[in-house]
């Protein structure tokens, strides 16, 4: 059974279990530490999840956990692919209610992906990721989630002359949320790509339509602090490089950092001042890693290094260590499932000359494709 067939089977079986993602998440409360997501915050997550179809559980879903905040809150993320039951849900919503901006944006993206010989599909495949603000940063009910595309089919590598691919993906994201890119934005996006070293890749593209306008770019695979600094200088990042060096150096002293990645926001004036930094230790580096979903890896060295930062809440780091699990068999009325939980990545946010935030992105995956 291939992956598409497994997803189809899992969607069919989940549809028997309930109608919404709220129904599904309700079964997992005892598996999620209240240190990470408190009871009031969990109810907020369920409130959002009840507006989404349960079939979204057939692809990776998860949470953004702020490890720097004492409040045990979380944002909620899901992924969906065209041609699935979940995709049909959003396409039907868009047809029935033209005012549903999220459904309309997703339906527009999927039309591009499903077109014959789609150049967008050749780069990013058929998947889109959504990130819903749930905690203190949440917006009104009609706001759009963050939307992300990842070049998983045709990787966009530095020094490979793939500027057209970059433009195509950015155009697809921007247009689906009603943005018309300006000449300055296009030039700034091109500049950020041309500045990439040869051994790096454009890992994801994102927009947050309900926040300040920006194109979020994630670039992964930097081999040294010098490469990171040169890249930030070449893109015109206005932040303090000394703060970036300080963070990388501290973690290198505590763990074996082998690669790093950056998240930057491209805006009309160039690049925004806030920087997301992802440090990759030896135990978890893989060139074939996938958005939201990696294989089980040893996170303890990095979590130990992170816990030494005064910024983070130690109790949350300890609870996060228990998130990673081996595949677990679950039994439901529609049959058996396998559940896998893991940490996808941890992002360190630098702004105003120092480390301001630390966020963990954790995932859950369910599959009904269980052999006898």
């Amino acid at each position: 059974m291939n992956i598409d067939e497994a997803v189809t089977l899992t969607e069919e079986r989940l549809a028997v279990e309930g109608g919404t993602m709220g129904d599904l998440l309700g079964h997992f409360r005892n598996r999620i530490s209240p240190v990470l997501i408190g009871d009031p915050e969990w109810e907020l997550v369920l409130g959002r999840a009840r507006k989404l179809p349960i079939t979204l559980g057939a692809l990776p879903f998860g949470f953004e956990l702020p490890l720097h905040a004492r409040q045990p809150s979380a944002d909620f993320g899901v992924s969906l692919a065209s041609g699935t039951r979940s995709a049909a849900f959003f396409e039907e919503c868009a047809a029935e209610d033209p005012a549903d901006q999220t459904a309309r944006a997703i339906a527009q993206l999927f039309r591009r992906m499903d077109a014959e010989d789609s150049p967008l599909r050749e780069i990013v495949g058929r998947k889109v990721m959504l990130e819903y603000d749930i905690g203190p940063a949440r917006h009104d009910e009609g706001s759009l989630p963050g939307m992300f595309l990842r070049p998983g089919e045709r990787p966009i590598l530095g020094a490979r002359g793939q500027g057209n691919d970059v433009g195509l993906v950015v155009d697809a994201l921007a247009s689906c949320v009603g943005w018309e890119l300006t000449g300055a934005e296009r030039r700034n996006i091109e500049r950020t790509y041309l500045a990439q070293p040869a051994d790096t890749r454009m890992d994801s593209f994102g927009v947050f339509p309900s926040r300040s306008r920006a194109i979020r770019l994630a670039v992964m695979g930097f081999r040294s602090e010098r490469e990171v600094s040169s890249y930030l200088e070449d893109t015109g990042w206005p932040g303090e490089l000394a703060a970036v060096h300080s963070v990388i150096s501290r973690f290198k002293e505590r763990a074996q950092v082998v690669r790093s990645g950056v998240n930057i926001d491209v805006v009309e004036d160039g690049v925004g001042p806030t920087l997301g930094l992802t440090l990759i230790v030896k135990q978890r580096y893989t060139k074939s890693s996938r958005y939201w979903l990696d294989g089980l890896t040893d996170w303890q060295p990095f979590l130990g290094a992170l816990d030494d930062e005064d910024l983070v809440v130690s109790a949350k780091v300890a609870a996060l260590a228990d998130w990673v699990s081996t595949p677990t068999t679950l039994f439901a009325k529609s049959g058996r499932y396998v559940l896998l939980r893991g940490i996808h990545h941890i992002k360190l946010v630098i702004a105003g000359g120092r480390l301001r935030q630390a966020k963990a992105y954790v995932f859950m995956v369910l599959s009904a494709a269980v052999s006898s």
Side-chain angles (χ1 to χ4, degrees):
M1 182 180 296
N2 63 35
I3 293 176
D4 291 339
E5 292 170 338
V7 169
T8 298
L9 173 62
T10 305
E11 283 193 317
E12 291 174 352
R13 295 261 295 275
L14 285 173
V16 177
E17 300 294 334
T20 74
M21 280 295 287
D23 297 327
L24 180 62
L25 290 181
H27 295 292
F28 297 132
R29 180 56 180 141
N30 63 349
R31 296 176 181 270
I32 299 174
S33 169
V35 173
L36 297 175
I37 308 178
D39 288 340
E41 293 77 15
W42 182 248
E43 288 303 316
L44 292 174
V45 171
L46 290 182
R48 164 50 64 187
R50 291 187 185 108
K51 296 176 173 62
L52 300 171
I54 194 171
T55 50
L56 286 168
L59 285 168
F61 58 95
F63 307 96
E64 176 192 295
L65 304 172
L67 303 179
H68 57 281
R70 298 211 167 271
Q71 181 180 358
S73 60
D75 289 339
F76 182 49
V78 297
S79 48
L80 68 154
S82 68
T84 61
R85 285 193 178 205
S86 297
F89 169 86
F90 286 100
E91 289 164 344
E92 290 167 8
C93 288
E96 294 171 1
D97 182 7
D100 189 331
Q101 297 181 73
T102 299
R104 192 171 69 240
I106 292 170
Q108 182 174 328
L109 266 181
F110 284 163
R111 282 195 296 272
R112 288 198 180 205
M113 291 176 177
D114 293 339
E116 187 175 357
D117 298 324
S118 166
L120 179 64
R121 187 175 68 242
E122 291 177 0
I123 301 169
V124 302
R126 297 178 179 271
K127 187 183 290 187
V128 58
M129 281 69 69
L130 307 178
E131 182 182 311
Y132 289 91
D133 289 333
I134 303 293
R138 73 183 188 277
H139 301 277
D140 61 78
E141 290 298 319
S143 64
L144 279 78
M147 303 180 68
F148 297 84
L149 294 175
R150 183 174 186 273
E153 298 298 311
R154 185 165 74 215
I156 298 177
L157 306 176
R160 288 290 182 90
Q162 292 178 271
N164 289 339
D165 287 354
V166 172
L168 194 152
V169 177
V170 172
D171 275 337
L173 264 184
S175 64
C176 82
V177 298
W179 294 355
E180 184 174 343
L181 293 176
T182 67
E185 286 173 321
R186 292 183 186 279
R187 287 190 295 273
N188 294 334
I189 290 164
E190 182 181 28
R191 181 183 182 185
T192 59
Y193 170 66
L194 293 176
Q196 279 186 230
D199 201 26
T200 60
R201 70 180 188 277
M202 192 73 75
D203 194 63
S204 68
F205 299 75
V207 293
F208 294 90
S210 298
R211 303 183 191 176
S212 298
R213 175 162 165 156
I215 305 293
R216 172 72 56 82
L217 302 178
V219 183
M220 298 297 295
F222 295 96
R223 293 171 294 184
S224 66
E225 289 181 57
R226 182 64 247 170
E227 277 197 344
V228 173
S229 295
S230 296
Y231 178 73
L232 294 176
E233 288 174 341
D234 291 345
T235 59
W237 181 62
E240 297 181 26
L241 290 176
V244 180
H245 285 302
S246 176
V247 171
I248 295 177
S249 296
R250 293 201 302 270
F251 277 83
K252 276 189 170 181
E253 290 173 358
R254 307 168 193 156
Q256 192 172 354
V257 176
V258 294
R259 296 272 178 137
S260 57
V262 298
N263 283 16
I264 57 175
D265 291 329
V266 179
V267 295
E268 177 79 15
D269 296 333
V271 174
T274 300
L275 178 74
L277 185 65
T278 301
L279 301 178
I280 305 167
V281 299
K282 185 176 182 180
Q283 290 86 347
R284 65 176 295 260
Y285 176 63
T286 168
K287 285 189 175 182
S288 61
S289 61
R290 292 171 285 170
Y291 197 91
W292 278 113
L293 177 59
D294 284 332
L296 288 175
T297 49
D298 180 12
W299 272 95
Q300 196 54 52
F302 186 85
L303 293 180
L306 182 65
D307 199 29
D308 284 340
E309 292 289 322
D310 294 335
L311 175 81
V312 303
V313 178
S314 290
K316 285 191 172 185
V317 176
L320 187 62
D322 294 331
W323 184 275
V324 180
S325 68
T326 56
T328 303
T329 301
L330 305 178
F331 296 92
K333 60 185 177 183
S334 62
R336 288 195 302 167
Y337 294 83
V338 167
L339 170 69
L340 179 66
R341 302 194 311 171
I343 301 170
H344 181 269
H345 70 284
I346 294 175
K347 181 171 69 176
L348 308 173
V349 180
I350 297 171
R354 65 185 179 90
L355 181 62
R356 300 279 182 174
Q357 299 178 339
K359 300 178 179 181
Y361 295 80
V362 300
F363 65 84
M364 305 176 78
V365 181
L366 274 173
S367 178
V370 185
S371 67
S372 58

